[in-house]
Amino acid sequence: EKRRSARGPWRHVIVLGSVRSAEAHAVAEALSVAAQLPAPSLFVVVPRHLDRADLILRRLQGCLPVIIERAEKEESLLPSPDGTWHQASSRGATDTRPPEQPPVQAGHCLLLVRTIGELRRFYALADLAFVGGTLCQVGGHNLFEAAELGVPVLYGPHTEQVVDIVAVLEREGGGHRVEGGRALGARILKLATSPIDLAASRAGAHLAAGQLGGAVERTLETLATWGFPVSGRPADP
């Protein structure tokens, strides 16, 4: 309920986080397929490296009819289909769209994020999240961040760096592997338009995150059993 209230009138919010420039072509393919989602739908692309954002943007040109860039940490997080910027707060207030931003038509919109440290805020409003570094041979970025918020996680075939997280996500139904860009778009389309499947995947992501969480506590306990108590924690005899 809080998620639905905070994101305003958008029917679907899809976040593609930590996207690498090597994945731009695949992401463009995914967006072309996922553009079949009912309007209004918002696709948020967050590059992994800001110095590659221009390259990613050039590749995504033409995928969706409207592209907006978020270059500063404005109080308003999401644009609204009616041309204003929606304030993500419990009051649901809105403020006027900055004059330099193009108007958003009622339909599909791509939001390219050029700020640092806001990815989690966008995940919190998402129906689905794709995590980058997985459609190229990087090995995957942080899948837990989205799952912890109860957001189903999609990723490509290259997950060598996150195999433990992937195993739990797939076991509980909260993670979905795809082989390429068009397959990513098709999976987004299928999940986002199936309330039953989406709800089950959300529950699976949350359940998986519960099993994966608590790493710090487990580490401290293990160190203590090895004879290295931390923060005054006594070692086991």
Side-chain angles (χ1 to χ4, degrees):
E1 291 300 324
K2 289 174 64 177
R3 175 181 288 137
R4 184 160 39 244
S5 173
R7 71 190 201 174
W10 291 108
R11 186 167 180 175
H12 300 286
V13 176
I14 311 298
V15 176
L16 300 97
S18 296
V19 174
R20 309 285 293 233
S21 58
E23 299 173 299
H25 176 75
V27 168
E29 289 184 330
L31 293 177
S32 297
V33 174
Q36 300 175 57
L37 280 174
S41 295
L42 178 68
F43 299 86
V44 181
V45 175
V46 184
R48 177 70 176 183
H49 301 119
L50 292 186
D51 60 351
R52 311 296 284 175
D54 286 338
L55 189 156
I56 293 173
L57 179 61
R58 286 196 297 271
R59 186 62 192 86
L60 299 183
Q61 292 284 352
C63 293
L64 295 170
V66 177
I67 296 178
I68 290 180
E69 298 181 50
R70 179 177 176 83
E72 298 180 1
K73 291 183 179 180
E74 302 289 345
E75 195 172 4
S76 302
L77 190 63
L78 301 183
S80 173
D82 64 4
T84 62
W85 281 76
H86 187 74
Q87 172 65 43
S89 71
S90 59
R91 297 189 302 274
T94 59
D95 58 0
T96 304
R97 173 178 47 83
E100 68 274 11
Q101 296 285 0
V104 181
Q105 304 300 322
H108 296 323
C109 175
L110 170 64
L111 176 64
L112 182 77
V113 178
R114 293 181 180 268
T115 58
I116 297 175
E118 292 193 297
L119 180 55
R120 182 180 175 84
R121 295 182 67 195
F122 285 106
Y123 281 155
L125 302 184
D127 294 304
L128 297 165
F130 164 76
V131 177
T134 59
L135 285 172
C136 60
Q137 293 184 350
V138 169
H141 294 308
N142 187 355
L143 307 182
F144 180 79
E145 191 172 25
E148 184 184 22
L149 296 165
V151 179
V153 187
L154 294 88
Y155 37 83
H158 302 288
T159 56
E160 298 80 6
Q161 304 299 323
V162 289
V163 289
D164 52 343
I165 299 177
V166 166
V168 180
L169 281 169
E170 292 185 352
R171 184 178 69 233
E172 302 301 340
H176 306 271
R177 186 188 300 272
V178 297
E179 293 303 316
R182 298 194 67 82
L184 172 60
R187 185 62 63 91
I188 289 173
L189 189 61
K190 181 178 184 298
L191 283 172
T193 55
S194 174
I196 294 176
D197 290 343
L198 185 59
S201 192
R202 281 176 176 163
H206 193 263
L207 183 59
Q211 297 175 33
L212 292 164
V216 172
E217 184 64 25
R218 291 197 299 271
T219 301
L220 293 176
E221 291 175 356
T222 301
L223 286 171
T225 63
W226 290 350
F228 299 96
V230 179
S231 299
R233 183 188 296 249
D236 290 341

